[in-house]
Amino acid sequence: RLRVRLRRQPAWSTLFRPTMPTRYFQVVGRKLPTEADPEPQIFRMRLFAPNEVTVKSRFWYFLHKLHKLKKTTGEILAVNEIFEKKTLHIKNYGIWLRYNSRSGTHNMYKQYRATTLCDAVDKMYQEMAGRHRARNRSIQVIKAIEIKSSDVTRPSLAQFIDSKVAFPLPHRVPRPSSKKFRTTFKAQRPSTYLR
């Protein structure tokens, strides 16, 4: 007799867990006022996180490393989401980061082309996961800024910075100009390749 061992299938929620998009926040906080220090120093940080709960946690994580402060001895004054003004044209971004790998901590500089800074950071998280197996929790963004086209050094980005850049249209499907010209059958087979 053969004994068959059945493997339990993972739940659908673990297989298809949607990733939340990265958002850009500004967090303002300080140490709790005391009689000895009635007006403590205020700290402001700009952080990337999927939601407000995570960004508050990251704020206290970094502030505890930089100053002798933690959640129990401090307070958050404001959490504001930062939005970009122009999101319709593509820009170049430079991102300085450090991440923890299996062997140690590494610094890195990366360049991306995206319409928003949050999209560029999302691309960075995806690339770091693919190339270096680095999880979001082990990546710390040090600085992320928009850079000029002349400062782009990566060949994969530089190939798109050209006023005469052109892309082929290999598959064009002819569409009717209005609903009254739409038909189920055609007298001639339509050709969709580029002539």
Side-chain angles (χ1 to χ4, degrees), residues 87-144:
T87 58
L88 295 177
H89 69 275
I90 199 153
K91 299 173 280 292
N92 307 307
Y93 293 100
I95 299 173
W96 285 261
L97 63 114
R98 68 193 289 255
Y99 77 99
N100 297 317
S101 71
R102 296 185 187 113
S103 56
T105 306
H106 315 280
N107 295 319
M108 203 173 273
Y109 169 67
K110 291 197 161 288
Q111 292 179 347
Y112 297 95
R113 272 173 74 79
T115 52
T116 64
L117 184 58
C118 291
D119 286 347
V121 172
D122 267 333
K123 282 184 178 182
M124 182 268 296
Y125 281 136
Q126 291 290 327
E127 188 184 359
M128 291 299 292
R131 287 184 192 271
H132 305 284
R133 300 293 186 269
R135 311 299 189 267
N136 289 18
R137 60 183 174 269
S138 64
I139 299 169
Q140 298 174 6
V141 178
I142 297 165
K143 186 167 75 167

Side-chain angles (χ1 to χ4, degrees), residues 53-104:
V53 176
T54 311
V55 84
K56 286 177 186 176
S57 172
R58 299 304 290 166
F59 174 75
W60 290 122
Y61 170 80
F62 287 118
L63 209 60
H64 184 69
K65 282 183 173 292
L66 297 167
H67 301 278
K68 200 175 179 182
L69 275 175
K70 55 183 181 177
K71 191 178 178 181
T72 53
T73 60
E75 63 178 351
I76 288 176
L77 302 174
V79 178
N80 309 107
E81 189 171 355
I82 301 169
F83 297 95
E84 286 193 46
K85 287 181 181 177
K86 296 177 181 177
T87 58
L88 295 177
H89 69 275
I90 199 153
K91 299 173 280 292
N92 307 307
Y93 293 100
I95 299 173
W96 285 261
L97 63 114
R98 68 193 289 255
Y99 77 99
N100 297 317
S101 71
R102 296 185 187 113
S103 56

